[in-house]
Structure formats: structure tokens, C-alpha cells
């Protein structure tokens, strides 16, 4: 039998218990405590958010969250799990589930078989990953891959929103957004697909107004119960990922179980400086020997350094050809070639046609829309 309580009341009891006793409880422990005290309701009077929340202040949206209903399981005195399953937390009819992360909870490292995104909307929190602690600040967003031991601890009234996504949904619905041709997207796909080891991606959105609006509306949609709600939630998450990749890709940090965090900086540096980058300069900058750096690049991208640079140049060349009106000589200069002739020779060897031919064949025509012209 399910029981009910509002987010605001549940959070108030968590904070009061900590203030009164100096101890903290996990979510399930507080649920058990409230049940024994007779503080849960047997009937649900749902509060369904209406409209959008773009113009609300943080305090106003906090009140919206506090008024939402939290549904608690009737299975009491269950030991706190260190391995959490999708079925433990995601409603059966949902692909995406969003909560405001509880504050003042007892630390408990855990892992799960779904993807988790934590976004610091206000204040800060402690992020423990594989027993290493760091502070996440306002505007930071972390995507945690399945099978990663971690915990989020909020020690004050900061606000962190947690988005939970079924692994099957991430693989089929959102993974295509990480299928861009660039080096970092390739590497992200690699580490996020490997659910046998611990990995995460961390974004920093300094001007986080748009992300905050997306997540607020995602939360509102997640608390609706009509037949459109789940589909709308998926679309809001698509907007979230698209915004991250479009606006914040240069801020990404990531942890990889094999390489640690240092090599991620090498990949980022290559991605954003390939135009005039030599292997010797890269090795010197990151204190690798050239042979060892070549081996690492080959192992983790599948390409030699030279081929990798060429692929990055060609990928950007195609982007410029299809989406700008730059001349071939201007494109050559932007991607690091000393002459348009050299660029054209490499392009023709790669795509079996000249840059001009490629543009003519593939560029979308922006024809004017004339109503009822058919």
C-alpha cells in the first residue's frame, strides 16, 4: 500500500531530525521513521503543476516543489541498498524521473543500473565518486554512468535536481545526440557505453538560466499523469542534452576508469587546438613521451595522431562547407592548412570529390516558403 507526503514536509522532517539529534537518515530510513510516527497519508491529493516556470524566482519554484506529492513504498524496515535498481526508483510507466535531491541525508555510497544526472541549481553539494570527494558548485551538471559508485550530499539548503533515466531509454533515445563526429563525442560514447566500470561527465554552465528553465519544466511535466507526460519529459531531456553539447562542450571534464582525468584534458586540448598542433608540442605540454602519447591516442580513439588531426580537420571542413558561405581558401585557413590547394587535395582524397562539388551535392537549399504553392 502506498503512502503520501509532500516534498516540503518530507524535507522539513529530514532537516528537523538532523537539527534535533545531530544524526542524518537515508531516504528510506526517514520514510520508515515517518510511517512509525503516523505522519504519512493514506490518500493522495495530488498537486499538478500547470503552465511553465520560466519567470519564477528560485524561491517561488521552491514552493512549487514543496507542494508536490511524494509517493512512498509500503515496504518498511528495508535495509539501505548499496546497489539500486531502476525498478526501485523509476515509476513503471516512466522513462525519465526527476526529483529535488533530499538535503541533510546520511552519506551512503551506492551504484545503480540507470543513468543519473545531478544539476546544482543553487548553492553547492559534495560529490563523492569512487571514494574521492569534490565540491559541485552552482551551474555544474554531472552525468553519472551506470555501475559507478558515488553519492551526493547536501549539507545546507542548496538545491540539486536529480534526473534519472532508464539505461534502455538513454541508449535508444538520447545516445544519438552524442553521435557527433568530433573526438570528444566519440570518447563520451565509449565511456558511457561501458557500464562495467565507473565513469562520469561534468559540465559547467556559468550562465545557467536556460538550463534551469529546461529542468524546471521537466520537473513540472514529470509530475503530470496524462498520456503525453512521458513523451514530453523525453523531449525536455533532449533539449537539455542539446543545450549542453551546443553551449558547454568546452567546459566538459570527465573521469575514465582506465585513464583517470588527466588524459581527458589531452583529448580536449586536441579537439580545440588541432589546427596548429604538433605531436611534439602536445607531448611536451602534457609531459608524455611521444611514443607513449601515440599509443594512448591510438588505444582510445582508434586513430594515429596524424589521422586523427586529419579527421578533425575534414569534419570541420564539411561543417563550414554546408553551413557557411566561406570561401575554400578561408575554410583551409580556419582548419589549419597553409594553402587552399593542399586542403583541396586532402579533401578530394577523403571524399572523392572537390570541396566545391561536395558543397553543391550536399548543401541544403534554403528555399523560400510559399503557402499553397503546390
Amino acid at each position: 500500500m502506498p503512502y503520501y507526503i509532500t516534498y516540503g514536509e518530507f524535507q522539513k522532517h529530514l532537516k528537523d531530525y538532523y537539527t534535533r539529534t545531530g544524526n542524518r537518515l537515508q531516504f528510506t530510513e526517514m520514510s520508515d521513521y515517518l510511517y512509525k510516527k503516523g505522519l504519512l497519508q493514506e490518500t493522495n491529493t495530488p498537486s499538478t503543476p500547470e503552465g511553465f516556470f520560466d519567470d519564477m524566482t528560485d524561491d517561488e519554484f521552491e514552493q512549487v516543489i514543496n507542494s508536490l506529492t511524494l509517493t512512498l513504498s509500503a515496504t518498511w524496515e528495508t535495509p539501505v541498498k548499496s546497489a539500486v535498481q531502476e525498478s526501485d526508483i523509476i515509476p513503471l510507466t516512466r522513462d525519465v524521473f526527476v526529483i529535488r535531491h533530499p538535503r541533510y541525508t546520511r552519506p551512503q555510497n551506492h551504484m545503480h543500473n540507470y543513468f543519473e544526472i545531478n544539476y546544482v541549481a543553487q548553492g553547492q553539494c559534495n560529490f563523492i565518486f569512487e571514494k574521492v570527494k569534490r565540491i559541485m558548485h552552482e551551474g555544474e551538471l554531472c552525468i553519472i554512468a551506470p555501475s559507478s559508485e558515488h553519492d551526493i550530499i547536501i549539507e545546507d539548503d542548496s538545491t540539486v535536481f536529480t534526473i534519472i533515466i532508464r539505461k534502455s531509454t538513454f541508449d535508444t533515445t538520447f545516445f544519438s545526440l552524442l553521435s557527433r563526429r568530433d573526438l570528444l563525442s566519440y570518447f563520451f560514447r565509449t565511456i558511457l557505453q561501458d557500464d562495467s566500470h565507473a565513469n562520469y561527465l561534468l559540465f559547467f554552465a556559468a550562465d545557467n538560466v536556460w538550463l534551469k528553465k529546461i529542468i524546471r519544466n521537466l520537473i513540472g511535466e514529470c509530475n503530470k499523469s496524462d498520456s503525453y507526460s512521458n513523451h514530453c519529459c523525453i523531449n525536455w531531456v533532449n533539449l537539455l542534452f542539446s543545450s549542453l553539447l551546443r553551449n558547454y562542450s568546452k567546459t566538459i571534464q570527465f573521469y575514465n576508469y582506465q585513464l583517470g582525468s588527466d588524459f581527458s584534458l589531452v583529448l580536449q586540448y586536441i579537439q580545440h587546438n588541432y589546427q596548429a598542433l604538433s605531436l611534439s608540442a602536445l607531448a611536451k605540454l602534457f609531459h608524455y613521451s611521444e611514443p607513449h602519447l601515440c599509443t594512448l591516442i591510438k588505444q582510445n580513439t582508434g586513430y594515429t595522431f596524424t589521422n586523427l588531426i586529419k579527421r578533425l580537420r575534414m569534419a570541420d571542413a564539411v561543417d563550414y562547407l554546408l553551413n557557411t558561405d566561406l570561401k575554400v581558401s578561408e575554410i583551409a585557413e580556419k582548419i589549419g592548412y597553409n594553402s587552399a590547394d593542399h586542403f583541396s587535395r586532402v579533401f578530394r582524397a577523403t571524399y572523392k570529390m572537390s570541396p566545391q562539388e561536395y558543397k553543391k551535392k550536399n548543401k541544403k537549399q534554403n528555399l523560400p516558403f510559399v503557402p499553397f504553392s503546390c
Side-chain angles (χ1 to χ4, degrees):
M1 176 179 175
Y3 288 82
Y4 307 96
I5 190 172
T6 66
Y7 271 80
E9 290 171 331
F10 190 89
Q11 183 59 70
K12 180 178 182 298
H13 288 298
L14 272 173
K15 183 175 182 179
D16 288 349
Y17 186 88
Y18 170 66
T19 302
R20 188 175 69 256
T21 68
N23 297 317
R24 306 179 187 212
L25 296 178
Q26 271 287 305
F27 184 91
T28 54
E29 293 168 335
M30 176 53 71
S31 300
D32 184 38
Y33 174 83
L34 296 175
Y35 172 71
K36 291 177 178 178
K37 293 288 187 180
L39 297 172
L40 301 179
Q41 304 297 318
E42 295 185 5
T43 57
N44 183 19
T45 54
S47 172
T48 303
E50 297 295 337
F52 297 95
F53 309 100
D54 294 11
D55 297 326
M56 283 189 174
T57 66
D58 290 338
D59 289 340
E60 288 170 340
F61 189 68
E62 178 86 352
Q63 294 306 309
V64 172
I65 296 292
N66 286 338
S67 69
L68 297 176
T69 302
L70 189 60
T71 303
L72 303 178
S73 170
T75 304
W76 312 111
E77 298 185 350
T78 302
V80 176
K81 297 180 179 180
S82 59
V84 184
Q85 304 300 310
E86 288 183 353
S87 56
D88 295 327
I89 194 165
I90 305 176
L92 184 62
T93 58
R94 293 282 178 180
D95 291 287
V96 176
F97 189 59
V98 193
I99 62 171
R100 182 184 64 195
H101 198 289
R103 304 153 177 153
Y104 303 100
T105 54
R106 178 172 60 79
Q108 174 68 44
N109 286 352
H110 60 282
M111 61 179 64
H112 38 64
N113 64 347
Y114 51 82
F115 281 90
E116 177 178 308
I117 302 174
N118 291 291
Y119 171 68
V120 184
Q122 191 176 30
Q124 64 181 37
C125 68
N126 293 323
F127 174 39
I128 298 92
F129 190 88
E130 295 292 300
K131 299 182 174 61
V132 176
K133 184 174 79 171
R134 62 163 291 160
I135 297 176
M136 284 180 63
H137 299 279
E138 184 171 324
E140 289 188 313
L141 181 147
C142 186
I143 305 175
I144 303 172
S147 303
S148 302
E149 184 180 286
H150 67 282
D151 198 11
I152 295 288
I153 302 298
I154 307 172
E155 298 181 332
D156 54 20
D157 291 332
S158 295
T159 300
V160 177
F161 295 121
T162 299
I163 304 168
I164 301 159
I165 304 173
R166 293 187 187 276
K167 186 178 185 302
S168 59
T169 305
F170 187 93
D171 290 343
T172 59
T173 306
F174 305 122
F175 204 63
S176 61
L177 283 172
L178 294 176
S179 296
R180 287 163 48 89
R181 60 187 175 273
D182 63 71
L183 172 61
L184 290 180
S185 291
Y186 172 84
F187 195 68
F188 299 160
R189 295 198 307 275
T190 301
I191 66 173
L192 290 179
Q193 274 185 321
D194 186 357
D195 60 3
S196 63
H197 297 279
N199 297 298
Y200 72 77
L201 305 179
L202 184 70
F203 294 79
F204 178 67
D207 51 339
N208 59 351
V209 175
W210 176 229
L211 286 185
K212 189 177 289 188
K213 289 179 178 181
I214 293 174
I215 293 174
R216 283 180 176 182
N217 288 303
L218 172 59
I219 292 170
E221 194 62 56
C222 190
N223 284 274
K224 296 178 181 179
S225 56
D226 59 49
S227 59
Y228 300 100
S229 176
N230 188 60
H231 184 68
C232 289
C233 287
I234 289 173
N235 286 333
W236 279 114
V237 175
N238 266 312
L239 281 174
L240 174 67
F241 284 151
S242 297
S243 180
L244 289 172
L245 292 172
R246 170 187 283 171
N247 300 315
Y248 306 111
S249 63
K250 290 186 178 181
T251 74
I252 298 175
Q253 299 176 29
F254 47 93
Y255 173 91
N256 177 264
Y257 68 96
Q258 290 179 323
L259 302 175
S261 58
D262 289 342
F263 194 70
S264 70
L265 300 178
V266 177
L267 295 176
Q268 287 185 8
Y269 192 85
I270 294 173
Q271 178 70 57
H272 299 299
N273 298 277
Y274 71 83
Q275 294 89 344
L277 185 63
S278 68
L279 179 64
S280 59
L282 185 67
K284 183 177 180 180
L285 181 64
F286 288 97
H287 308 291
Y288 287 103
S289 70
E290 289 185 34
H292 184 51
L293 182 56
C294 283
T295 300
L296 287 175
I297 292 172
K298 177 69 173 178
Q299 285 178 344
N300 292 281
T301 69
Y303 303 107
T304 65
F305 175 78
T306 300
N307 285 337
L308 182 61
I309 296 298
K310 186 180 78 170
R311 289 180 66 88
L312 292 170
R313 284 174 169 168
M314 291 299 100
D316 273 354
V318 167
D319 190 40
Y320 285 129
L321 285 169
L322 300 185
N323 298 302
T324 74
D325 293 321
L326 292 174
K327 297 177 182 177
V328 170
S329 59
E330 294 172 324
I331 294 174
E333 183 178 355
K334 278 185 171 292
I335 63 176
Y337 286 103
N338 293 326
S339 72
D341 288 342
H342 184 196
F343 162 56
S344 294
R345 286 196 299 271
V346 176
F347 192 94
R348 183 181 289 276
T350 304
Y351 295 104
K352 312 307 178 187
M353 64 183 76
S354 70
Q356 295 92 335
E357 291 169 333
Y358 189 97
K359 182 171 185 175
K360 183 177 180 180
K361 182 178 180 180
N362 294 282
K363 187 170 183 178
K364 297 177 182 178
Q365 298 298 317
N366 295 319
L367 299 176
F369 171 64
V370 181
F372 310 113
S373 60
C374 297

